[in-house]
Amino acid sequence: MDKLVITGGNPLVGRVRISGAKNATLPLMAATLLARGKSRLANVPDLRDVRTMGALLGTLGAKVSSRKDTLFIDTAGAEGDEAPYELVKTMRASVLALGPLVARMGSAKVSLPGGCAIGERPIDQHLKGLEAMGCKVEISGGYVLAWAKRLRGADISLDIVTVTGTENLVMAACLAKGTTTIRNAAREPEVVDLCNALNAAGARITGAGTATVIIEGQAELAPLDHRVMPDRIEAGTYMAAAGITRGELTIVDAPLEHLTAVVGKFKEAGIRFQPTPKGLVVSARRAPRPVSIITGPYPGFPTDLQAQLMALMSLNSSSAVFQETIFENRFMHVPELRRLGADIEVTGSTAVVKGVRHLAGAQVMATDLRASACLVLAGLAAEGETHISRVYHLDRGYEAIDQKLTSAGATVRRESEPGPGKK
């Protein structure tokens, strides 16, 4: 198991290129199951979750290969319908195989999902939508069993906004007979990216990016040929890195059109943004001004950047209030930030962050993907060494983060930790 050791205090100065979006790549990989043949996905990040999804597709009979940042997925021989626990337990996005498998194969056996332990993330809306489309569903032995001779179009009103639920139902509806309308659909850019790729493959989807998505089912789709959108969460993380170290980063391929709420809050904190022909220059010279947020579905402030902004606000000039509305356990990074000297009080879904003058290095433990990024940011600003254990979470969602930070002047090294009972 690896850990990161960060010696803080260096302003980041340099250039960072944003990788393809993990949260767009995974549903696109699942969507290749909707057609027979060889799909091509470009701008794919080299991440643990991407490799896990590739392994899952392999168990279904697909052939997965890569060249540089391009992924080739040949589903001509993909006849399996089971997503096993051994793979699904590590990554919630594996549940995205459910809709495509039922739509193309007529049946699916998918383990209930795992992933980060940040709260309850049930898949009841996925199942409700599939049942409305004529799918029979059972849950047995930790697996979802689903089958339908052919799905049929339906009018589906989701009880809550769910990104993976919207994506699963959109994919299933692409091969259903008739028209499907999904109301209260997720509006995230990654949903739009998926719909754009499916439309290019012969689907007929309208309304992507709005609360109502309409899908006219087709008899078949062509393989995908698509370039994955840049990762807006990674971009926001590096913006926070420039701010917390009072440095100056040129961020290349930052999807600014999808970061309006984030950039607005960072500007409010005093971080400066300057578009240039070479990329977006993000800089800061002093302690951030206090900024309060309420997380929400897109286009609101993303829950996936709440922890990173909290790291920045740990050094703010007064106090800031964070309200988390998406996941009930999304403050698991707070005890670790306190170990570094942050002053944070949590009551229910609200955290009050009182700014301190300095953070100090310590041994901390990552609890989930975004908490990992939060602790990296805090370590970059802390005095002395910060040791972050369990960074396998980080490797699920950030491509080569230690290398990217090192290239911008950070002092970061990766070390192997001894396992339990070993020295």
Side-chain angles (χ1 to χ4, degrees), residues 21-27 163 167 190-191 231-233 304 370:
K22 175 189 85 111
N23 290 340
T25 300
L26 299 178
V163 175
E167 291 167 340
E190 294 80 10
V191 174
D231 195 320
R232 61 192 174 101
I233 304 302
D304 278 356
R370 304 309 172 185

Side-chain angles (χ1 to χ4, degrees), residues 236 239-240 243 256 258-273 282-284 287-296 299-303 305-306 308-310 312-313 316 319-323:
M239 291 174 185
L256 278 181
H258 305 317
L259 287 165
T260 302
V262 174
V263 170
K265 286 297 180 182
F266 283 164
K267 285 183 176 179
E268 189 181 329
I271 296 176
R272 293 176 292 184
F273 293 79
V282 183
S283 61
R289 295 191 291 265
V291 170
S292 297
I293 63 160
I294 302 174
T295 62
F301 194 93
T303 183
L305 281 169
Q306 174 257 109
Q308 296 91 310
L309 181 62
M310 188 176 289
L312 177 66
M313 284 297 103
N316 85 82
S319 63
V321 179
F322 284 63
Q323 287 184 261

Side-chain angles (χ1 to χ4, degrees), residues 353-374:
V353 187
K354 297 178 181 178
V356 298
R357 292 180 62 86
H358 304 285
L359 297 175
Q363 292 186 351
V364 293
M365 182 176 68
T367 55
D368 60 72
L369 171 55
R370 304 309 172 185
S372 304
C374 160

Side-chain angles (χ1 to χ4, degrees), residues 201-213:
R204 297 185 65 181
I205 306 168
T206 57
T210 74
T212 303
V213 179

Side-chain angles (χ1 to χ4, degrees), residues 119-380:
E120 291 296 325
R121 295 190 284 179
I123 62 169
D124 59 314
Q125 298 302 299
H126 305 231
L127 305 184
K128 169 187 171 179
L130 289 173
E131 287 177 326
M133 298 167 69
C135 185
K136 302 295 184 183
V137 175
E138 290 182 5
I139 297 179
S140 177
Y143 280 80
V144 176
L145 309 176
W147 63 97
K149 187 173 182 180
R150 186 182 180 188
L151 297 173
R152 60 176 183 270
D155 194 315
I156 303 167
S157 294
L158 298 175
D159 298 328
I160 59 171
V161 176
T162 161
V163 175
T164 53
T166 299
E167 291 167 340
N168 232 338
L169 297 176
V170 164
M171 290 187 286
C174 283
L175 296 182
K177 183 178 182 180
T179 300
T180 299
T181 301
I182 303 173
R183 306 183 191 279
N184 199 28
R187 299 162 60 185
E188 270 70 5
E190 294 80 10
V191 174
V192 178
D193 202 43
L194 172 65
C195 292
N196 288 342
L198 290 169
N199 279 338
R204 297 185 65 181
I205 306 168
T206 57
T210 74
T212 303
V213 179
I214 300 173
I215 309 100
E216 296 181 36
Q218 305 298 304
E220 62 180 10
L221 298 181
L224 302 187
D225 188 354
H226 185 72
R227 181 175 179 82
V228 179
M229 64 173 283
D231 195 320
R232 61 192 174 101
I233 304 302
E234 185 191 23
T237 300
Y238 284 108
M239 291 174 185
I244 201 168
T245 64
R246 303 181 195 180
E248 182 173 290
L249 283 180
T250 298
I251 302 178
V252 182
D253 290 340
L256 278 181
E257 67 275 23
H258 305 317
L259 287 165
T260 302
V262 174
V263 170
K265 286 297 180 182
F266 283 164
K267 285 183 176 179
E268 189 181 329
I271 296 176
R272 293 176 292 184
F273 293 79
Q274 180 61 50
T276 73
K278 294 184 178 180
L280 178 70
V281 178
V282 183
S283 61
R285 291 292 180 268
R286 56 184 61 87
R289 295 191 291 265
V291 170
S292 297
I293 63 160
I294 302 174
T295 62
Y298 188 84
F301 194 93
T303 183
D304 278 356
L305 281 169
Q306 174 257 109
Q308 296 91 310
L309 181 62
M310 188 176 289
L312 177 66
M313 284 297 103
S314 67
L315 295 171
N316 85 82
S317 57
S318 180
S319 63
V321 179
F322 284 63
Q323 287 184 261
E324 175 59 55
T325 69
I326 307 298
F327 296 125
E328 67 272 18
N329 291 340
R330 206 77 200 245
F331 289 145
M332 294 172 68
H333 50 279
V334 169
E336 304 304 303
L337 279 178
R338 288 180 183 144
R339 290 179 56 81
L340 296 169
D343 185 353
I344 307 169
E345 294 295 331
V346 176
T347 304
S349 61
T350 301
V352 178
V353 187
K354 297 178 181 178
V356 298
R357 292 180 62 86
H358 304 285
L359 297 175
Q363 292 186 351
V364 293
M365 182 176 68
T367 55
D368 60 72
L369 171 55
R370 304 309 172 185
S372 304
C374 160
L375 296 176
V376 168
L377 295 177
L380 292 171

Side-chain angles (χ1 to χ4, degrees), residues 3-6 333-341 360-366 375 379 382-390 413 415 417-418:
K3 71 174 181 178
L4 290 185
V5 181
I6 302 174
H333 50 279
V334 169
E336 304 304 303
L337 279 178
R338 288 180 183 144
R339 290 179 56 81
L340 296 169
Q363 292 186 351
V364 293
M365 182 176 68
L375 296 176
E383 298 174 351
E385 281 192 350
T386 299
H387 294 242
I388 306 173
S389 62
R390 296 177 66 182
R413 68 180 186 271
E415 296 182 353
E417 288 187 295

Side-chain angles (χ1 to χ4, degrees), residues 23-165:
N23 290 340
T25 300
L26 299 178
L28 285 163
M29 292 177 71
T32 64
L33 293 169
L34 291 169
R36 293 185 182 276
K38 197 170 191 177
S39 291
R40 185 186 75 94
L41 299 176
N43 199 35
V44 172
D46 182 13
L47 299 172
R48 181 175 175 178
D49 276 7
V50 171
R51 292 190 291 272
T52 299
M53 182 64 86
L56 173 57
L57 295 176
T59 66
L60 298 171
K63 295 180 180 179
V64 182
S65 60
S66 62
R67 186 170 64 247
K68 293 185 179 180
D69 67 348
T70 301
L71 203 60
F72 302 94
I73 303 172
D74 188 347
T75 59
E79 301 294 341
D81 68 351
E82 180 177 346
Y85 170 75
E86 289 71 23
L87 290 172
V88 178
K89 69 179 180 180
T90 65
M91 185 183 68
R92 175 177 166 75
S94 302
V95 76
L96 289 166
L98 179 61
L101 284 176
V102 173
R104 180 180 152 192
M105 306 297 181
S107 62
K109 181 181 179 181
V110 178
S111 175
L112 292 170
C116 289
I118 56 176
E120 291 296 325
R121 295 190 284 179
I123 62 169
D124 59 314
Q125 298 302 299
H126 305 231
L127 305 184
K128 169 187 171 179
L130 289 173
E131 287 177 326
M133 298 167 69
C135 185
K136 302 295 184 183
V137 175
E138 290 182 5
I139 297 179
S140 177
Y143 280 80
V144 176
L145 309 176
W147 63 97
K149 187 173 182 180
R150 186 182 180 188
L151 297 173
R152 60 176 183 270
D155 194 315
I156 303 167
S157 294
L158 298 175
D159 298 328
I160 59 171
V161 176
T162 161
V163 175
T164 53

